[in-house]
Amino acid sequence: MRDFTDKCVVLKISDYRDDDRLAKVLTAENGMITVLLRGVKKAKAKLKAFAQMFSVFDTRLVSGKGAFLTPVEPLLIQDGFSVSADLKKFTAASVVAEATAASLEADYEPHPEIFLEFLKFLRAIESGVDAYCASATYMLGLLSLSGFYREYGCDGMPKTPVQMLGYMQKNGYGCCEFSDSSGGFSDLSRRALKYVCSEFCRNFDTGLKSIDSIDLYA
């Protein structure tokens, strides 16, 4: 039996039985886990906000006879509505969530650096910056934290997707606000995101289904 308290962010939601849902959750100190959210499909379910992608909460988690952990008196820190309601933000966040889950799929060790990077990403896109720029910046950090660091050079203002990635490496999430307000930078961010996603897929030998939606919400 497992029994611990941790901070959680929801990466994926799937249906389970008539009224329940399963959440694939990244925790701060216990790696990636699966949480059973009972009764959340009911109209007045108290845990409905927790069964939403990109929700962040603090909770005690307990495993019983089944294979899943269940939350005990969870405390919602941030719901995922503002991200899920905007198609571009949702696409960018979906890429990040899918890549994060893929990078940790067979690893149940704690990854607090990746957890904190995910929270930084959510904070960035909720502040109104270019979502694709923030997503590409996160993907660079995820690759680095996973042992696949590559330095992308950039002197001056970026003009290509690869240079844009170098610009992101130098400036972090701070460059995303500038990207959103300067014409071609937003398109460069979109192309840079697709490029770094292809790097991720090559390094992890996997595909990311969410990449297909990037061009739909440029």
Side-chain angles (χ1 to χ4, degrees), residues 64-215:
K65 296 180 180 180
F68 310 122
L69 291 153
T70 55
V72 179
E73 298 182 355
L75 174 64
L76 187 66
I77 298 173
Q78 177 180 309
D79 64 42
F81 178 77
S82 63
V83 176
S84 299
D86 183 291
L87 291 175
K88 183 174 179 178
K89 288 182 180 180
F90 181 78
T91 299
S94 295
V95 170
V96 162
E98 186 180 357
T100 302
S103 69
L104 304 177
E105 189 166 8
D107 188 351
Y108 298 97
E109 295 298 317
H111 292 278
E113 299 92 348
I114 293 177
F115 179 84
L116 289 174
E117 192 68 19
F118 200 104
L119 295 187
K120 288 180 184 177
F121 163 74
L122 289 180
R123 192 179 305 119
I125 61 173
E126 287 178 341
S127 70
V129 303
D130 182 77
Y132 289 166
C133 182
S135 184
T137 301
Y138 173 89
M139 292 295 292
L140 288 169
L142 178 63
L143 282 169
S144 180
L145 291 169
S146 301
F148 297 103
Y149 178 76
R150 172 186 170 186
E151 186 171 348
Y152 297 89
C154 179
D155 295 321
M157 290 293 99
K159 296 180 180 179
T160 68
V162 173
Q163 290 176 350
M164 189 65 189
L165 291 174
Y167 186 74
M168 292 170 180
Q169 283 181 327
K170 287 183 178 180
N171 298 281
Y173 294 105
C175 72
C176 300
E177 184 174 352
F178 182 62
S179 170
D180 195 38
S181 61
S182 56
F185 266 47
S186 183
D187 183 60
L188 267 184
S189 296
R190 176 185 61 82
R191 291 157 60 196
L193 174 57
K194 293 180 69 175
Y195 188 96
V196 75
C197 283
S198 68
E199 290 285 285
F200 177 90
C201 292
R202 184 159 45 248
N203 285 319
F204 282 92
D205 192 25
T206 187
L208 298 176
K209 295 179 181 178
S210 47
I211 294 177
D212 297 336
S213 299
I214 293 174
D215 290 332

Side-chain angles (χ1 to χ4, degrees), residues 10-15 20-25 35 37 40 48-55:
V10 178
L11 302 183
K12 183 179 179 181
I13 291 289
S14 56
D15 289 333
D20 307 336
R21 284 196 167 99
L22 294 176
K24 182 173 285 187
V25 168
V35 175
L37 299 167
V40 292
K48 192 174 289 292
F50 296 84
Q52 187 174 47
M53 285 183 64
F54 320 120
S55 292

